[in-house]
Amino acid sequence: MLDQEKELKRIIEVEDPILFLGAGFSLGAKTHSGRNVPTGNQLKSDIITELLRYPKGSTEYSDLEKYNLSEVCDFCEIEKSKAHLTDYLVDYFKNSKPAVFHHLITSYPWKKIYTTNIDDIVEVCYKNTNQELLIQNFKRRSTISEKGKIELLKIHGCVNNPSEGLTFSNKSYLDTMILSKDYRFNSLSLDMHSESIIFIGHDFNEYNIDFYLKLYENSGYQSSKGKLIFINPFPSIIFKSKIKQIGALLIEWDTESFFQFVSTIRSTTNDSTLVNQLRNLTRFGFESFKTIRSKTLPIKKYESNLYFGFEPNWLDIFDEWDFQNNDLIESLVQFCDTSKTEESRIFAIYGKGLSGKSTFLLRAGIELDSLGYEVWDFRGKHFNYYEFFKWTKLNPEKKKFALLYDNASYNYRDILRLVKLIHHSQHLIVVTTSRLPSHLKSRYNIVDAFHKEYFLEPKITREFASEIAQRLNTKGYLGSLKEFDDIYDRIKFITIKNDLLSILYEITYGKGFRTRISDSLLPILKKDSDERDLLIILALFEKLDLPSVPKELISLLFGSNSKVALQNIEDFIKYTSNNDVSLRTIFYLQSILKTCSVTKIITLVKNILLSIAPQISDRHSSWTQIEAALTNEKLLRKRFGIKTKEIKEMLYDLKLDLSGSYNFWIQLGITEQAEGEYDKALNHFKQAEVINPGSYMVKNAIGRNYLKQANSLNNISLARTIFAEGETILLRLIAKREELEVRAFSTHTYLYEKIIFLRKFEIVPSNDEIREMFSLLKRLMDKDPEDVMSKQISNYFYDFLRSIKRSNVIKLNYHDLKLLNSMLSESRTDIVDLVDD
């Protein structure tokens, strides 16, 4: 077996490849009228003679025959009409009859199938074998359930949906596909960055080659996880050269030979359920520590970039370049003790950005492995927790599992679900990291689990300073610390500076390094360019606490210029393990943003949202996380100084593109609400409710809208009526939903707006009403006394009681001392921020 065939066999057996079908795939099938499915040249001839009615031998036929199929189709649309051409092609290709070998396509569980073919041969094959497909033949993503279905993306149209158009593309059309808002092309561009794709039956004329290879090149193919494999029996010498240039595979087979090969592998490989599940975990971004260790060790010679702002990797940890936080590790080890309870648990590390959380997470993985856990690292874009749960159930003999999840707060809810699924015969610990604001906002989702929250203090203790000094000395990177001969002087320098990132930069670049770092950016920031736009986007993501910019997004935004733009700013950026991109240091942030106008920010935010719009769905993913941040009125206003009116106008411009997102309508409504447009806001909240009728966020937004509208009025009678409407909605949410997050947000919203209402209209509530309000608050505090948001609303409530001289109405017993302490404690969180999310 040739090397190329061995690699193809490995990809089929171990990976989760995508299939991409061209016109050659359909050869061997019959049309409904009994004709052979044509080649491109045969179809061109038939169009000339049958639709344009120029007989062979005529001058017109001879002239048109010299042009390619795309050009003849363009001519046909002009001479006849687009409708005439569409009707002809639908009649020609609909209800085609596949050959026997075509059915072999159904024998393998492809991750996806793309096709440029408009016929329905694939659909017929799957129908004949009683397998369902999720057919994407609209520009917008289908909302039909995906469960258990292979996705078929018909990127040039479909005879079963001619209303979307049928495409026999010319070069200018293909050149624009990379920036398309069409879900199918958008998905293809994203998949080119990380997936192995097998091309079957493409004739690879020049523009097809250039287009597909351009997508792959934009991905930075040398760091792409996937491979391109081309199956072509008669490749041209030019095509062979291009394949070789990008490191893709070429196998000179016809379509039938390929599928026979796949079928043979499937029949001779008796994949166990475990092997298949392992493949599923890999597909969703889970990697076992066992695999990581085997890929990393042995270490021959390694010089780390960890001390210069780069993302940590497993090599850094195995070779012990990291500064080891003994307090964190000891806390983790104690938390793992199951002597009192075997309950599965969550260990949540949180702190400011660039504080070393990701490095400590990897070190925790090694520690957990030493404690006998089967450790997994999650780096995917969609957290499919149920696939991990299935793995634990398939391994009943294994009792201890650990999962590492960096930047996890957006998926705390699914992490909780996973932990709750693990029964007492097995034990799971999930170790997460999150940035401070994101953690505080989402922490309600983990409070119901056995959990510990570990705040990564920015303060450097003497013990930790000693570890830093010794590690730098051992690795030979003391820099200017070398001038101190005494270890205690080095420790003193480190503890005085008290910021790890600043220390590392100062010992390398000297005092005043922040100014020099900022000055190095100026040549790029002074002129309008892709490089400047990309730096601004990276700064926007950093400011919004989004962990990194996906490499696929950069390709969507900058097309064929993305690779060059990244190269030109490589001194200022770093790559994650997935090759996503972020600023190398937070010190660049202020310099970038102060040169950027509000107009520029709005333009870039719109472009990002337009680019990711086709990927937005109702399931949590990195795309919905980005959308949630970039449409949030409060974040955009407070962090970038954009006026509410400008945000509203931007969101209006995006109504058509993001109309399928319930979060978009919530954010638009909140923006209108901030402008006092309560009726418009309610209308858009109702639209969100139609898209996601079960969402508590939508119901909370509707209830809050009534309360805010009531508080905007001066007519007390009308205000009472409107307030009662919202009050009913929120109290029903609080009473009926058990999730702490739901009760907390609705309680905060209700109490905050209720106090505003009482103060505005100078209403003194009855003692019973005060006790009812307190009981809502006490229910939260009893569950989670340390919650910052509850402390803040407690202070607000208690201040109100003192102002109306009714604080004595609340009767606290001995067990409520903790609550009293919380109510009187100081908290710096902005309560308006918290209840207005």
Side-chain angles (χ1 to χ4, degrees):
M1 187 180 286
L2 298 175
D3 289 344
Q4 295 97 319
E5 295 174 21
K6 288 179 181 177
E7 178 63 6
L8 175 61
K9 183 175 184 292
R10 185 197 67 78
I11 288 170
I12 290 171
E13 288 179 337
V14 178
E15 294 191 22
D16 197 21
I18 290 171
L19 198 60
F20 193 163
L21 306 176
F25 166 78
S26 299
L27 298 180
K30 299 282 187 180
T31 68
H32 70 91
S33 62
R35 291 196 280 189
N36 291 327
V37 168
T39 63
N41 283 333
Q42 181 60 54
L43 178 59
K44 176 179 68 176
S45 177
D46 291 345
I47 289 173
I48 296 171
T49 58
E50 296 175 4
L51 183 58
L52 293 172
R53 298 186 181 278
Y54 296 130
K56 287 185 178 181
S58 66
T59 302
E60 292 85 354
Y61 181 93
S62 299
D63 191 18
L64 288 170
E65 202 269 337
K66 298 173 186 175
Y67 294 91
N68 64 36
L69 176 60
S70 301
E71 292 167 322
V72 170
C73 287
D74 287 340
F75 175 79
C76 188
E77 288 184 2
I78 294 170
E79 291 298 306
K80 292 287 187 178
S81 70
K82 191 171 184 177
H84 276 84
L85 178 61
T86 297
D87 290 344
Y88 175 81
L89 293 172
V90 169
D91 181 67
Y92 200 118
F93 286 106
K94 193 167 185 177
N95 297 321
S96 296
K97 300 172 183 177
V100 173
F101 74 85
H102 284 126
H103 289 84
L104 294 175
I105 192 176
T106 66
S107 65
Y108 184 85
W110 308 105
K111 184 171 186 179
K112 290 180 186 175
I113 302 173
Y114 288 96
T115 179
T116 58
N117 301 331
I118 66 170
D119 61 51
D120 52 6
I121 290 173
V122 175
E123 294 94 310
V124 172
C125 288
Y126 276 86
K127 183 178 180 181
N128 289 345
T129 54
N130 297 314
Q131 296 184 57
E132 284 192 273
L133 290 168
L134 176 62
I135 300 171
Q136 302 286 3
N137 55 16
F138 284 87
K139 291 177 182 178
R140 286 184 175 273
R141 181 179 189 155
S142 171
T143 57
I144 298 172
S145 172
E146 309 175 21
K147 194 172 182 180
K149 300 174 184 176
I150 293 175
E151 191 175 22
L152 173 64
L153 297 99
K154 315 243 349 197
I155 64 175
H156 280 186
C158 177
V159 292
N160 293 318
N161 182 32
S163 62
E164 283 288 298
L166 306 177
T167 303
F168 286 81
S169 306
N170 55 33
K171 187 176 184 301
S172 62
Y173 177 81
L174 283 172
D175 282 343
T176 65
M177 285 183 183
I178 193 169
L179 302 176
S180 174
K181 292 185 285 184
D182 187 310
Y183 168 71
R184 299 160 295 180
F185 292 120
N186 188 273
S187 297
L188 176 61
S189 180
L190 299 182
D191 286 335
M192 279 288 187
H193 290 77
S194 55
E195 306 295 341
S196 289
I197 304 178
I198 302 172
F199 290 77
I200 306 289
H202 291 264
D203 60 6
F204 299 116
N205 55 54
E206 186 178 350
Y207 64 76
N208 271 326
I209 293 172
D210 288 341
F211 173 59
Y212 300 133
L213 300 192
K214 182 195 291 184
L215 283 178
Y216 194 50
E217 187 178 7
N218 286 343
S219 74
Y221 56 86
Q222 291 175 336
S223 59
S224 178
K225 283 169 56 181
K227 274 268 189 187
L228 297 191
I229 306 100
F230 294 89
I231 308 297
N232 187 318
F234 308 112
S236 69
I237 189 171
I238 293 176
F239 178 63
K240 286 182 179 180
S241 174
K242 292 188 176 185
I243 292 300
K244 182 180 179 181
Q245 182 182 357
I246 66 166
L249 296 180
L250 171 63
I251 301 177
E252 297 183 26
W253 289 343
D254 61 20
T255 302
E256 185 172 359
S257 298
F258 167 77
F259 283 112
Q260 289 290 357
F261 179 79
V262 174
S263 181
T264 300
I265 292 174
R266 293 288 289 172
S267 63
T268 57
T269 304
N270 185 21
D271 282 354
S272 66
T273 306
L274 274 175
V275 171
N276 285 328
Q277 188 55 31
L278 186 59
R279 184 185 290 124
N280 284 340
L281 287 174
T282 302
R283 169 183 179 179
F284 285 105
F286 295 89
E287 188 173 21
S288 71
F289 184 78
K290 180 180 177 181
T291 301
I292 292 167
R293 181 167 48 200
S294 67
K295 290 194 306 186
T296 309
L297 300 178
I299 301 171
K300 296 178 181 178
K301 188 177 181 181
Y302 178 61
E303 288 292 320
S304 174
N305 287 315
L306 186 62
Y307 305 152
F308 304 99
F310 284 81
E311 195 77 8
N313 59 53
W314 282 104
L315 257 175
D316 297 325
I317 311 303
F318 280 110
D319 206 29
E320 299 197 334
W321 288 80
D322 58 314
F323 307 122
Q324 296 179 29
N325 187 324
N326 292 329
D327 180 71
L328 188 152
I329 294 301
E330 287 171 11
S331 296
L332 175 62
V333 171
Q334 290 173 12
F335 185 66
C336 290
D337 181 11
T338 57
S339 59
K340 294 182 180 179
T341 175
E342 294 184 354
E343 197 174 351
S344 291
R345 55 202 64 187
I346 301 168
F347 188 83
I349 305 167
Y350 68 103
K352 67 178 185 177
L354 301 173
S355 60
K357 299 184 299 296
S358 300
T359 307
F360 295 136
L361 180 69
L362 300 186
R363 174 56 60 185
I366 288 183
E367 189 66 32
L368 289 166
D369 176 73
S370 71
L371 294 174
Y373 285 84
E374 179 179 284
V375 180
W376 289 77
D377 186 22
F378 175 72
R379 300 282 165 169
K381 294 190 183 299
H382 169 54
F383 183 57
N384 194 324
Y385 67 92
Y386 199 76
E387 293 298 329
F388 189 81
F389 168 67
K390 281 161 52 175
W391 174 259
T392 66
K393 292 298 100 183
L394 289 170
N395 291 274
E397 75 286 356
K398 297 177 180 178
K399 301 304 179 185
K400 296 166 69 176
F401 296 88
L403 178 63
L404 312 178
Y405 192 160
D406 200 17
N407 295 303
S409 58
Y410 188 69
N411 277 313
Y412 274 171
R413 191 179 307 168
D414 284 342
I415 292 170
L416 174 67
R417 288 167 178 159
L418 171 61
V419 166
K420 293 292 186 183
L421 283 172
I422 306 296
H423 299 300
H424 293 303
S425 59
Q426 292 179 310
H427 174 72
L428 169 68
I429 179 168
V430 184
V431 184
T432 66
T433 68
S434 298
R435 296 192 179 197
L436 178 61
S438 304
H439 172 78
L440 293 178
K441 182 178 177 182
S442 303
R443 61 181 297 279
Y444 290 114
N445 290 303
I446 62 172
V447 170
D448 281 330
F450 188 74
H451 75 288
K452 180 178 178 63
E453 298 166 75
Y454 187 96
F455 177 53
L456 205 57
E457 293 274 3
K459 182 180 180 181
I460 296 177
T461 64
R462 185 173 182 79
E463 180 188 8
F464 192 37
S466 176
E467 159 68 13
I468 293 169
Q470 291 181 43
R471 189 72 56 185
L472 289 172
N473 186 40
T474 301
K475 294 300 184 182
Y477 281 90
L478 280 171
S480 60
L481 273 179
K482 187 76 173 175
E483 68 181 82
F484 301 112
D485 293 328
D486 192 278
I487 180 67
Y488 297 106
D489 289 333
R490 294 173 183 173
I491 292 171
K492 182 179 179 181
F493 175 89
I494 292 170
T495 52
I496 289 173
K497 293 298 178 185
N498 203 34
D499 180 83
L500 183 56
L501 193 62
S502 295
I503 292 164
L504 292 173
Y505 270 78
E506 184 166 330
I507 65 175
T508 300
Y509 303 110
K511 292 182 179 180
F513 69 90
R514 295 189 189 216
T515 301
R516 289 195 296 278
I517 282 174
S518 299
D519 289 347
S520 65
L521 280 169
L522 291 179
I524 296 175
L525 297 176
K526 280 181 177 178
K527 57 183 179 180
D528 200 18
S529 64
D530 287 343
E531 288 78 6
R532 178 173 181 256
D533 285 353
L534 183 48
L535 284 170
I536 294 170
I537 289 169
L538 293 168
L540 296 179
F541 272 58
E542 180 64 40
K543 191 74 172 175
L544 291 169
D545 288 308
L546 293 167
S548 58
V549 178
K551 58 185 177 181
E552 303 96 326
L553 176 58
I554 294 172
S555 182
L556 288 173
L557 290 168
F558 299 102
S560 58
N561 295 330
S562 57
K563 188 177 178 182
V564 173
L566 285 167
Q567 288 172 344
N568 289 340
I569 62 169
E570 62 183 359
D571 290 340
F572 312 107
I573 62 175
K574 62 182 177 181
Y575 292 89
T576 68
S577 58
N578 286 332
N579 292 307
D580 295 335
V581 186
S582 61
L583 290 175
R584 189 178 299 180
T585 169
I586 200 169
F587 302 137
Y588 297 136
L589 189 61
Q590 187 176 357
S591 298
I592 295 170
L593 290 179
K594 74 180 182 182
T595 66
C596 182
S597 68
V598 165
T599 301
K600 169 62 80 172
I601 292 174
I602 291 173
T603 299
L604 292 176
V605 168
K606 280 178 66 174
N607 288 343
I608 293 168
L609 290 169
L610 288 170
S611 295
I612 68 174
Q615 301 303 319
I616 301 300
S617 66
D618 58 359
R619 74 177 186 179
H620 270 36
S621 70
S622 57
W623 306 116
T624 54
Q625 183 179 8
I626 292 169
E627 182 226 11
L630 293 182
T631 55
N632 188 299
E633 185 270 342
K634 183 191 71 183
L635 289 178
L636 295 176
R637 171 171 47 83
K638 290 205 162 190
R639 300 194 183 181
F640 304 116
I642 307 175
K643 295 177 181 177
T644 300
K645 182 178 180 181
E646 293 171 316
I647 297 168
K648 184 176 70 172
E649 289 172 355
M650 179 189 77
L651 295 179
Y652 281 156
D653 289 343
L654 294 165
K655 276 197 295 186
L656 182 62
D657 298 280
L658 292 172
S659 61
S661 165
Y662 79 95
N663 172 74
F664 169 78
W665 294 114
I666 290 176
Q667 296 303 330
L668 177 57
I670 290 173
T671 307
E672 291 166 328
Q673 194 179 77
E675 292 268 284
E677 298 174 324
Y678 299 103
D679 294 332
K680 286 183 179 180
L682 181 61
N683 180 284
H684 290 135
F685 292 147
K686 292 287 188 180
Q687 285 186 236
E689 189 174 33
V690 171
I691 297 170
N692 193 346
S695 169
Y696 86 86
M697 290 174 60
V698 176
K699 290 180 171 57
N700 191 80
I702 292 172
R704 180 177 58 194
N705 193 66
Y706 283 116
L707 302 189
K708 284 185 171 293
Q709 184 174 12
N711 285 332
S712 73
L713 300 173
N714 293 318
N715 183 318
I716 187 171
S717 177
L718 181 58
R720 281 185 187 277
T721 302
I722 294 175
F723 192 92
E725 187 80 22
E727 187 174 41
T728 301
I729 294 171
L730 291 177
L731 290 178
R732 188 185 300 126
L733 262 181
I734 295 167
K736 289 189 175 182
R737 295 288 290 264
E738 285 302 314
E739 304 97 313
L740 180 61
E741 181 184 26
V742 179
R743 285 191 274 113
F745 275 98
S746 296
T747 300
H748 298 154
T749 298
Y750 172 64
L751 292 178
Y752 179 69
E753 297 295 340
K754 175 89 170 180
I755 292 168
I756 291 176
F757 181 82
L758 295 172
R759 277 178 165 159
K760 174 169 184 172
F761 293 106
E762 299 179 348
I763 299 171
V764 177
S766 67
N767 290 351
D768 285 343
E769 196 171 1
I770 290 172
R771 293 188 188 102
E772 286 173 9
M773 293 169 70
F774 178 66
S775 70
L776 293 175
L777 181 58
K778 186 173 182 298
R779 188 180 175 193
L780 292 183
M781 299 300 292
D782 285 345
K783 179 70 176 178
D784 187 20
E786 299 305 316
D787 175 43
V788 174
M789 294 168 70
S790 294
K791 286 181 181 181
Q792 218 16 311
I793 194 68
S794 297
N795 286 333
Y796 193 62
F797 177 60
Y798 197 69
D799 286 345
F800 170 67
L801 294 185
R802 284 187 295 196
S803 71
I804 60 172
K805 298 181 172 49
R806 292 295 182 91
S807 56
N808 62 329
V809 174
I810 299 175
K811 302 295 182 184
L812 297 174
N813 58 38
Y814 175 80
H815 297 290
D816 292 326
L817 290 178
K818 234 182 189 182
L819 175 61
L820 179 62
N821 182 59
S822 293
M823 290 178 66
L824 300 177
S825 66
E826 292 296 323
S827 179
R828 286 170 289 178
T829 308
D830 185 346
I831 189 166
V832 178
D833 286 355
L834 295 172
V835 300
D836 275 358
D837 274 337

Short mmCIF file of all heavy atoms in Angstrom, two decimals, residues 141-167:
data_model
loop_
_atom_site.label_atom_id
_atom_site.label_comp_id
_atom_site.label_asym_id
_atom_site.label_seq_id
_atom_site.Cartn_x
_atom_site.Cartn_y
_atom_site.Cartn_z
N ARG A 141 -29.24 28.69 7.35
CA ARG A 141 -29.10 27.39 7.99
C ARG A 141 -30.46 26.79 8.29
O ARG A 141 -31.36 27.47 8.78
CB ARG A 141 -28.30 27.57 9.28
CG ARG A 141 -28.05 26.30 10.05
CD ARG A 141 -27.23 26.63 11.29
NE ARG A 141 -26.78 25.42 11.95
CZ ARG A 141 -25.72 25.35 12.72
NH1 ARG A 141 -25.00 26.43 12.92
NH2 ARG A 141 -25.38 24.23 13.31
N SER A 142 -30.60 25.50 8.03
CA SER A 142 -31.84 24.81 8.35
C SER A 142 -32.00 24.71 9.85
O SER A 142 -31.03 24.45 10.58
CB SER A 142 -31.83 23.40 7.74
OG SER A 142 -32.93 22.64 8.21
N THR A 143 -33.23 24.89 10.33
CA THR A 143 -33.49 24.80 11.77
C THR A 143 -34.04 23.43 12.16
O THR A 143 -34.41 23.22 13.31
CB THR A 143 -34.50 25.89 12.19
OG1 THR A 143 -35.70 25.75 11.41
CG2 THR A 143 -33.92 27.27 11.98
N ILE A 144 -34.10 22.50 11.23
CA ILE A 144 -34.55 21.14 11.52
C ILE A 144 -33.55 20.48 12.45
O ILE A 144 -32.35 20.72 12.38
CB ILE A 144 -34.70 20.33 10.22
CG1 ILE A 144 -35.77 20.98 9.32
CG2 ILE A 144 -35.06 18.88 10.49
CD1 ILE A 144 -35.85 20.37 7.95
N SER A 145 -34.02 19.61 13.32
CA SER A 145 -33.14 18.94 14.27
C SER A 145 -32.02 18.18 13.57
O SER A 145 -32.24 17.49 12.58
CB SER A 145 -33.96 17.96 15.12
OG SER A 145 -33.11 17.17 15.92
N GLU A 146 -30.79 18.33 14.10
CA GLU A 146 -29.62 17.71 13.50
C GLU A 146 -29.36 16.31 14.04
O GLU A 146 -28.52 15.59 13.51
CB GLU A 146 -28.36 18.55 13.79
CG GLU A 146 -28.49 20.00 13.45
CD GLU A 146 -27.26 20.79 13.89
OE1 GLU A 146 -26.20 20.17 14.07
OE2 GLU A 146 -27.38 22.00 14.05
N LYS A 147 -30.02 15.94 15.10
CA LYS A 147 -29.64 14.74 15.85
C LYS A 147 -29.64 13.50 14.96
O LYS A 147 -30.63 13.15 14.33
CB LYS A 147 -30.60 14.54 17.02
CG LYS A 147 -30.11 13.53 18.04
CD LYS A 147 -30.98 13.52 19.27
CE LYS A 147 -30.44 12.54 20.31
NZ LYS A 147 -31.28 12.50 21.51
N GLY A 148 -28.48 12.83 14.92
CA GLY A 148 -28.35 11.57 14.21
C GLY A 148 -28.34 11.68 12.70
O GLY A 148 -28.42 10.66 12.01
N LYS A 149 -28.21 12.89 12.16
CA LYS A 149 -28.25 13.07 10.71
C LYS A 149 -26.91 13.60 10.19
O LYS A 149 -26.26 14.41 10.84
CB LYS A 149 -29.35 14.06 10.33
CG LYS A 149 -30.76 13.64 10.74
CD LYS A 149 -31.76 14.74 10.45
CE LYS A 149 -33.15 14.38 10.94
NZ LYS A 149 -34.10 15.50 10.73
N ILE A 150 -26.53 13.11 9.02
CA ILE A 150 -25.37 13.67 8.33
C ILE A 150 -25.82 14.91 7.56
O ILE A 150 -26.85 14.91 6.89
CB ILE A 150 -24.75 12.63 7.37
CG1 ILE A 150 -24.15 11.47 8.17
CG2 ILE A 150 -23.69 13.28 6.49
CD1 ILE A 150 -23.61 10.34 7.33
N GLU A 151 -25.04 15.98 7.69
CA GLU A 151 -25.39 17.24 7.04
C GLU A 151 -24.92 17.23 5.60
O GLU A 151 -23.74 16.96 5.32
CB GLU A 151 -24.75 18.40 7.80
CG GLU A 151 -25.25 19.77 7.39
CD GLU A 151 -24.68 20.87 8.27
OE1 GLU A 151 -23.62 20.67 8.88
OE2 GLU A 151 -25.30 21.95 8.32
N LEU A 152 -25.83 17.47 4.66
CA LEU A 152 -25.52 17.55 3.23
C LEU A 152 -25.68 19.00 2.79
O LEU A 152 -26.78 19.54 2.81
CB LEU A 152 -26.45 16.64 2.41
CG LEU A 152 -26.35 16.75 0.89
CD1 LEU A 152 -24.97 16.30 0.40
CD2 LEU A 152 -27.46 15.94 0.21
N LEU A 153 -24.57 19.63 2.40
CA LEU A 153 -24.59 21.05 2.02
C LEU A 153 -24.47 21.17 0.52
O LEU A 153 -23.43 20.84 -0.07
CB LEU A 153 -23.46 21.80 2.72
CG LEU A 153 -23.56 21.82 4.25
CD1 LEU A 153 -22.66 20.76 4.86
CD2 LEU A 153 -23.21 23.19 4.81
N LYS A 154 -25.53 21.63 -0.12
CA LYS A 154 -25.59 21.73 -1.59
C LYS A 154 -25.21 23.15 -2.00
O LYS A 154 -26.04 24.04 -2.12
CB LYS A 154 -26.99 21.36 -2.08
CG LYS A 154 -27.55 20.12 -1.41
CD LYS A 154 -27.85 18.91 -2.25
CE LYS A 154 -27.86 18.93 -3.68
NZ LYS A 154 -28.56 17.77 -4.27
N ILE A 155 -23.91 23.35 -2.19
CA ILE A 155 -23.41 24.72 -2.28
C ILE A 155 -23.70 25.39 -3.62
O ILE A 155 -23.61 26.61 -3.72
CB ILE A 155 -21.90 24.79 -1.96
CG1 ILE A 155 -21.07 24.03 -2.97
CG2 ILE A 155 -21.63 24.28 -0.56
CD1 ILE A 155 -19.57 24.19 -2.74
N HIS A 156 -24.03 24.62 -4.66
CA HIS A 156 -24.40 25.23 -5.95
C HIS A 156 -25.88 25.12 -6.24
O HIS A 156 -26.30 25.33 -7.38
CB HIS A 156 -23.58 24.59 -7.08
CG HIS A 156 -22.19 25.12 -7.19
ND1 HIS A 156 -21.34 24.78 -8.20
CD2 HIS A 156 -21.51 25.98 -6.40
CE1 HIS A 156 -20.18 25.40 -8.02
NE2 HIS A 156 -20.27 26.14 -6.94
N GLY A 157 -26.67 24.79 -5.23
CA GLY A 157 -28.10 24.71 -5.42
C GLY A 157 -28.58 23.27 -5.49
O GLY A 157 -27.80 22.32 -5.45
N CYS A 158 -29.90 23.13 -5.61
CA CYS A 158 -30.51 21.80 -5.51
C CYS A 158 -31.77 21.76 -6.36
O CYS A 158 -32.57 22.69 -6.33
CB CYS A 158 -30.84 21.51 -4.04
SG CYS A 158 -31.66 19.95 -3.76
N VAL A 159 -31.94 20.66 -7.08
CA VAL A 159 -33.14 20.52 -7.93
C VAL A 159 -34.40 20.46 -7.09
O VAL A 159 -35.50 20.74 -7.59
CB VAL A 159 -33.05 19.27 -8.83
CG1 VAL A 159 -31.97 19.43 -9.87
CG2 VAL A 159 -32.82 18.00 -7.99
N ASN A 160 -34.27 20.11 -5.81
CA ASN A 160 -35.43 20.06 -4.94
C ASN A 160 -35.74 21.40 -4.28
O ASN A 160 -36.69 21.51 -3.51
CB ASN A 160 -35.21 18.99 -3.85
CG ASN A 160 -35.18 17.59 -4.45
OD1 ASN A 160 -35.98 17.26 -5.32
ND2 ASN A 160 -34.25 16.77 -3.99
N ASN A 161 -34.93 22.41 -4.57
CA ASN A 161 -35.19 23.76 -4.07
C ASN A 161 -34.65 24.78 -5.07
O ASN A 161 -33.75 25.55 -4.77
CB ASN A 161 -34.53 23.95 -2.70
CG ASN A 161 -34.83 25.34 -2.13
OD1 ASN A 161 -35.89 25.91 -2.37
ND2 ASN A 161 -33.88 25.88 -1.38
N PRO A 162 -35.19 24.80 -6.28
CA PRO A 162 -34.67 25.72 -7.30
C PRO A 162 -34.88 27.19 -6.98
O PRO A 162 -34.25 28.06 -7.59
CB PRO A 162 -35.45 25.31 -8.56
CG PRO A 162 -36.69 24.65 -8.05
CD PRO A 162 -36.31 23.98 -6.77
N SER A 163 -35.75 27.49 -6.00
CA SER A 163 -36.01 28.89 -5.66
C SER A 163 -34.75 29.60 -5.15
O SER A 163 -34.65 30.82 -5.24
CB SER A 163 -37.10 28.98 -4.59
OG SER A 163 -36.69 28.33 -3.39
N GLU A 164 -33.80 28.85 -4.62
CA GLU A 164 -32.55 29.45 -4.14
C GLU A 164 -31.54 29.66 -5.27
O GLU A 164 -30.47 30.20 -5.05
CB GLU A 164 -31.92 28.57 -3.06
CG GLU A 164 -32.57 28.68 -1.70
CD GLU A 164 -32.25 30.01 -1.02
OE1 GLU A 164 -31.08 30.29 -0.73
OE2 GLU A 164 -33.20 30.78 -0.78
N GLY A 165 -31.87 29.19 -6.46
CA GLY A 165 -30.99 29.37 -7.60
C GLY A 165 -30.06 28.19 -7.79
O GLY A 165 -29.70 27.48 -6.84
N LEU A 166 -29.66 27.97 -9.03
CA LEU A 166 -28.71 26.93 -9.38
C LEU A 166 -27.49 27.61 -9.97
O LEU A 166 -27.61 28.51 -10.79
CB LEU A 166 -29.32 25.96 -10.40
CG LEU A 166 -30.66 25.33 -10.00
CD1 LEU A 166 -31.18 24.44 -11.13
CD2 LEU A 166 -30.53 24.52 -8.72
N THR A 167 -26.32 27.17 -9.55
CA THR A 167 -25.10 27.89 -9.91
C THR A 167 -24.15 27.02 -10.70
O THR A 167 -23.77 25.94 -10.24
CB THR A 167 -24.39 28.39 -8.64
OG1 THR A 167 -25.30 29.20 -7.90
CG2 THR A 167 -23.15 29.19 -9.00
#
